[in-house]
C-alpha cells in the first residue's frame, strides 16, 4: 500500500541491512501463504526449498569434516614436531590440507550462507504486517511473537527473568544436539570444541525470545540437517 502511494513511503518499513533478501523472503512467504492459506506452512515450504538448494554444499561440508577427522593424527604430529615454530607449523598444516584437497572452512560454508537468510527472514517476520497475529497450528497463535506455551521464567532470575518459554526452542536445542553428535569430530582447538558443544544450549536460550515463525524456520532446518547428516554418514561409511 505504501509503495502504491509513491514518494518512497515503502522505505519507512525498515527491512534492515539485508533489505533485498528480506523483501524477497517476504514476497516468497506471501506467495506460499496464498498457496497454503497458512503462514506457518509457508515458512516450512521456504525452509525446505532453501535446504534443497544447499544440499550439494552440505554434502561437500560433511565430506570436508570427515577428511579433517582422518587427518587429525597427522595434524597432531605436525603440531608436536613444530610446536616451537608456529610459522613452519602453519605452513605444514596448510600443505597437508592442500595435499588432501580439503579446506578447514569447508564445513562452515552452509551455515555461513544461511546467516544472511536468517537475518533477512527475521526482519521479514518482525516487520511484515500480515504475520502479526498470524496463527499456525496447535498452541502457536502468533508467528510474530515468541513461543510462550509454558509461560515465563520468573523475573527474579538474572538476565533471563521474564523470558518466554515454549517447546519450540527446546525441540530446536535437542535436534541440534543430536545433529552435533552425528557430525565428524575434527578435534583441534579444545576451546573451539567446547564452544561447539555449548552451541545447542546457546541457540535454545537465544531462540526463547525470537518470533515463533523464525524458530519454526530454524527447527525445520535443523530437522532436515539431522536427517541429511544421518544419510551422509551412512553413505560415507559405505564408501559412497
Amino acid at each position: 500500500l505504501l509503495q502504491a502511494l509513491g514518494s518512497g513511503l515503502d522505505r519507512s518499513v525498515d527491512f534492515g541491512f539485508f533489505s533485498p533478501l528480506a523483501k524477497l523472503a517476504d514476497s516468497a512467504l506471501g506467495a506460499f501463504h496464498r498457496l497454503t492459506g497458512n503462514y506457518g506452512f509457508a515458512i516450512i515450504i521456504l525452509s525446505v526449498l532453501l535446504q534443497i538448494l544447499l544440499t550439494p554444499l552440505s554434502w561437500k561440508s560433511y565430506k570436508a569434516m570427515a577428511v579433517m577427522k582422518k587427518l587429525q593424527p597427522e595434524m597432531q604430529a605436525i603440531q608436536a614436531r613444530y610446536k616451537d615454530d608456529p610459522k613452519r607449523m602453519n605452513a605444514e598444516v596448510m600443505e597437508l590440507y592442500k595435499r588432501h584437497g580439503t579446506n578447514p572452512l569447508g564445513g562452515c560454508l552452509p551455515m555461513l550462507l544461511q546467516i544472511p537468510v536468517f537475518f533477512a527472514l527475521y526482519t521479514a517476520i518482525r516487520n511484515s504486517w500480515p504475520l502479526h497475529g498470524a496463527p499456525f497450528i496447535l498452541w502457536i497463535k502468533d508467528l510474530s511473537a515468541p513461543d510462550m506455551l509454558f509461560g515465563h521464567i520468573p523475573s527474579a532470575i538474572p538476565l533471563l527473568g521474564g523470558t518466554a518459554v515454549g517447546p519450540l526452542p527446546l525441540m530446536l536445542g535437542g535436534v541440534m544436539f543430536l545433529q552435533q553428535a552425528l557430525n565428524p569430530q575434527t578435534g583441534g582447538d579444545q576451546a573451539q570444541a567446547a564452544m561447539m558443544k555449548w552451541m545447542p544450549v546457546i541457540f535454545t536460550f537465544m531462540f526463547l525470545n525470537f518470533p515463533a515463525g523464525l524458530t519454526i524456520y530454524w527447527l525445520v532446518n535443523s530437522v532436515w540437517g539431522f536427517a541429511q547428516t544421518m544419510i551422509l554418514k551412512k553413505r560415507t561409511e559405505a564408501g559412497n
Side-chain angles (χ1 to χ4, degrees):
L1 177 61
L2 290 171
Q3 191 175 38
L5 291 173
S7 302
L9 288 175
D10 56 299
R11 292 198 298 273
S12 63
V13 181
D14 182 18
F15 280 97
F17 183 77
F18 297 106
S19 178
L21 273 178
K23 290 179 179 179
L24 184 62
D26 188 50
S27 298
L29 287 177
F32 294 139
H33 176 261
R34 288 190 292 273
L35 181 68
T36 64
N38 187 296
Y39 273 107
F41 290 119
I43 291 169
I44 291 173
I45 293 173
L46 180 61
S47 305
V48 171
L49 287 177
L50 287 170
Q51 287 303 308
I52 290 173
L53 289 174
L54 288 171
T55 293
L57 287 175
S58 298
W59 171 232
K60 289 183 179 179
S61 168
Y62 189 88
K63 286 180 69 176
M65 287 190 289
V67 172
M68 291 290 291
K69 181 181 179 181
K70 290 180 181 178
L71 294 181
Q72 280 308 301
E74 292 184 63
M75 288 179 60
Q76 290 170 357
I78 291 172
Q79 290 168 352
R81 190 180 306 127
Y82 301 107
K83 61 182 179 181
D84 296 325
D85 188 354
K87 187 175 180 179
R88 177 70 185 276
M89 180 178 68
N90 289 334
E92 291 291 331
V93 169
M94 294 307 295
E95 178 61 30
L96 179 66
Y97 291 154
K98 184 178 179 181
R99 193 161 62 247
H100 289 270
T102 189
N103 187 329
L105 297 178
C108 304
L109 190 56
M111 177 68 77
L112 291 175
L113 288 176
Q114 287 194 66
I115 289 175
V117 178
F118 174 83
F119 283 108
L121 195 62
Y122 174 74
T123 53
I125 291 174
R126 185 185 61 184
N127 294 322
S128 179
W129 179 251
L131 270 92
H132 282 262
F136 180 34
I137 56 173
L138 302 176
W139 70 92
I140 306 298
K141 307 300 182 185
D142 185 354
L143 287 165
S144 67
D147 178 9
M148 53 184 71
L149 179 65
F150 302 146
H152 293 79
I153 295 174
S155 57
I157 298 178
L159 298 178
L160 294 175
T163 299
V165 182
L168 287 177
L170 301 179
M171 288 190 288
L172 171 62
V175 174
M176 287 186 68
F177 176 80
L178 291 174
Q179 184 181 6
Q180 188 184 86
L182 280 179
N183 279 328
Q185 302 302 310
T186 58
D189 192 335
Q190 295 299 315
Q192 182 182 1
M195 185 185 73
M196 291 303 294
K197 287 182 180 179
W198 279 98
M199 284 296 284
V201 178
I202 293 169
F203 267 69
T204 298
F205 282 105
M206 187 172 70
F207 274 86
L208 286 176
N209 274 334
F210 278 8
L214 192 67
T215 309
I216 290 170
Y217 164 76
W218 204 259
L219 178 59
V220 172
N221 285 352
S222 299
V223 171
W224 181 282
F226 174 68
Q228 192 175 61
T229 301
M230 288 184 67
I231 295 170
L232 296 178
K233 181 179 174 66
K234 289 181 180 179
R235 287 185 60 182
T236 302
E237 290 173 350
N240 296 322

